[in-house]
Amino acid sequence: MRSKRTELFVGSFILLGILAFVYLAVQVSGLAFTDKKDTYQIVARFDDIGGLSNRAKVTIAGVTIGSVESITLDKELYMGLVTMNIDSDVNNIPTDSSIAILTSGLLGEKYLGLSIGADDEMLTDGGEIFDTQSALVLETLISQFLFKAGDSEK
Amino acid sequence: MKMVALLGGALLDWIESVGRAGIFLAQSIFRLPVRFKESINLLIKQLYSVGVLSLVIVVVSGAFIGMVLALQGYSILAKFGSEEAVGQLLALALLRELGPVVTALLFAGRAGSSLTAEIGLMKATEQLSSFEMMGVDPLRRVIAPRFIAGVICLPLLSLIFSTTGIIGGLVVSVNWLGVHDGAFWSLMQQSVYFDTDIVNGFIKAVCFSIAVTWIAVYQGYECVPTSEGIGKATTRTVVLGSLAILALDFVLTAAMFGDF
Amino acid sequence: MADAYIEVQDLSFSRGDRVIYENVSLTIPRGKITAVMGPSGTGKTTLLRLIAAQLSPDSGLVLVDGKNVHMLSRSELYKVRKKMGMLFQSGALFSDMSVAENIAFPMEEHTKLDAKAINEKVLEKLHSVGLRGAAQLKPSELSGGMARRVALARAIALDPELVMYDEPFTGQDPISKGVLVKLIRQLNESANMTSVLVSHDVEESLSIADHVCILAGGRVIAEGSPEDIRMSDDAEVKQFLNGEPDGPVPFHYPEKDRAGVEVTV
């Protein structure tokens, strides 16, 4: 009888460990097992990607509709080439939409925000957004501010 | 000159003992028990005494460490007005470092020492010789199930530790300090990655489990079979085990997270 | 000597700097009870471990049933050991098993008997040592004498050809001693086993042994039948048998002077 109880305890222990693993994976890291949604890829070129990283989210009106797949350097134009996966049910993004690198909160992560254009033609797989707004780099901001302050004093 | 010879001798002794421990480990793993059912029973017994009996200390310490982390993190993050980030701090600290390391240290003290003492006592009361005399290899009958149980239990305990820590921190920061729970979770989920954080933390725990259990069973098997010898071996398990965990942690952290 | 089951030839063994045996030769006849006696610390237990090949000698041979046990491969050695039973000084019962499981263990390990047959044999062995009623007890619940009887039952579980007893009488009360003497005698006669008994209890050993070896100072000082030993006029043997405090074996442990040279007192 004693060994039956031991087995029960050991079984519960292992189950508890597996549950903890699933909890960590789903609730803490936000891993979604149903994430194998159909997506299509679009690209955008930025002058400065300023700390954007792989898997950063892509949003419209704050709602996540995709994520960054890869970031590479466009060797001809010397620009950052960002490839992103967009959920295929969001298939009505006009070709003249603009995209910006934004920051969530003061210390938060970088993400991409899409602003919708007015064109009748929609983006499809492999399409490109030409209207891009680079990340705000603190040093650039400060130097701009200093120059302006200097100008106005004159 | 004498000094050099002495040092060299000590180094050779040390290398020799590492070699002995390595051969010992290989022999106990590759001479796995032949009869399947019996070996499963032995393993279950050891899983119980190594894992289930360590559960209470792991759960309680995990909850308290999570709660303390939340309190400390909150008081600092509140100065920057970003107290929501406490979830992120909690999850990353627990998953990457505290979960595997603290669990392994607790494991060395709770399960490692008792493994050493038990095996040492079996040696002192001639039970190990007795197995040998019956034509049964004590490495496979006594050492192998204990080693495997240790290697299975520590990573599971580490996962349980991290989970209770996060839940403890959640209770303190959300229910007590009033952090917004939506922000708590979303900031956490944004910054925690399954492969870099959870999987790497798990790999750490697996490495620690091998090191600690190896040291524990080896110290028990090689101890001087007297009450003094068993006492010394038990102490050595805890000391060497803890040092091994911390040193290994540095190496693994450098390899996993060092490139950014 | 009629038929030797174990032959020890020119055996030398040392532990670190301490020489335990120097060119020891002795024979253990088949089917008889041989007592190996000697003062404490002469390495009597070591001799049993050398015979079972748990230790390897520096030089010399140990032949068990004609095979040199130190030259065997691991699996062959384990096969030979199945024919040996050993009663350890402390009993060495497995503390996490009940009495019945302890005795069943060697059978489960080495025979293909089913659970029912094993259970029957376990009870039979326990019956032969008079502890049939103790089958479900844990080793920690047994008295010293009972533990040794259970260990004896386990040692004979596989009906071995050779049983080695390591100090079976030490720390036993007179009744337990009497029981053990009777059991050893009985087992040897009924199952036609060869028995080796290591002890420093002179009376008990001489009363059951057919053949006696006395070891002292790393060599054999006397070998023969109990009568021969009792008649011996060797000073060392006499001192040992009669328990005289001083004689060839000095009362004082040899001292070392400051230079590390041995001084005889």
Side-chain angles (χ1 to χ4, degrees), chain C residues 23-211:
Chain C
N23 295 324
V24 168
S25 298
L26 52 86
T27 46
I28 290 167
R30 189 187 294 272
K32 299 274 171 64
I33 299 178
T34 304
V36 177
M37 294 197 284
S40 304
T42 43
K44 300 184 297 290
T45 305
T46 310
L47 180 68
L48 294 187
R49 286 180 192 258
L50 283 164
I51 292 173
Q54 285 190 326
L55 297 171
S56 311
D58 300 338
S59 65
L61 296 177
V62 176
L63 301 176
V64 175
D65 208 6
K67 285 188 201 118
N68 182 352
V69 286
H70 298 287
M71 300 297 283
L72 295 177
S73 76
R74 219 187 143 69
S75 57
E76 284 173 316
L77 177 63
Y78 275 14
K79 241 178 252 166
V80 171
R81 282 191 188 158
K82 273 185 230 171
K83 292 191 270 177
M84 299 180 181
M86 178 136 159
L87 180 68
F88 286 88
Q89 200 166 346
S90 61
L93 293 175
F94 303 132
S95 42
D96 56 344
M97 300 182 198
S98 73
V99 165
E101 284 167 341
N102 258 288
I103 300 169
F105 180 74
M107 293 189 246
E108 283 170 358
E109 243 353 274
H110 293 308
T111 65
K112 293 203 161 53
L113 298 174
D114 61 7
K116 204 170 152 241
I118 288 179
N119 193 36
E120 262 167 38
K121 281 199 89 174
V122 166
L123 289 177
E124 179 199 318
K125 298 290 174 196
L126 272 174
H127 187 76
S128 69
V129 296
L131 289 174
R132 203 179 162 120
Q136 295 313 318
L137 295 181
K138 286 269 166 192
S140 54
E141 296 166 319
L142 300 175
S143 72
M146 282 159 82
R148 216 159 288 189
R149 276 150 75 186
V150 172
L152 179 55
R154 188 181 65 181
I156 57 168
L158 289 175
D159 302 315
E161 294 173 9
L162 168 73
V163 181
M164 295 185 272
Y165 302 90
D166 187 4
E167 305 277 6
F169 308 120
T170 311
Q172 301 290 313
D173 62 69
I175 301 174
S176 306
K177 271 189 201 177
V179 170
L180 282 166
V181 166
K182 186 172 154 262
L183 279 174
I184 293 171
R185 184 86 262 176
Q186 231 173 31
L187 285 171
N188 202 69
E189 275 164 12
S190 62
N192 196 28
M193 294 187 293
T194 306
S195 304
V196 183
L197 184 77
V198 152
S199 177
H200 49 237
D201 289 87
V202 175
E203 273 319 306
E204 283 81 6
S205 307
L206 288 182
S207 71
I208 55 170
D210 304 307
H211 184 73

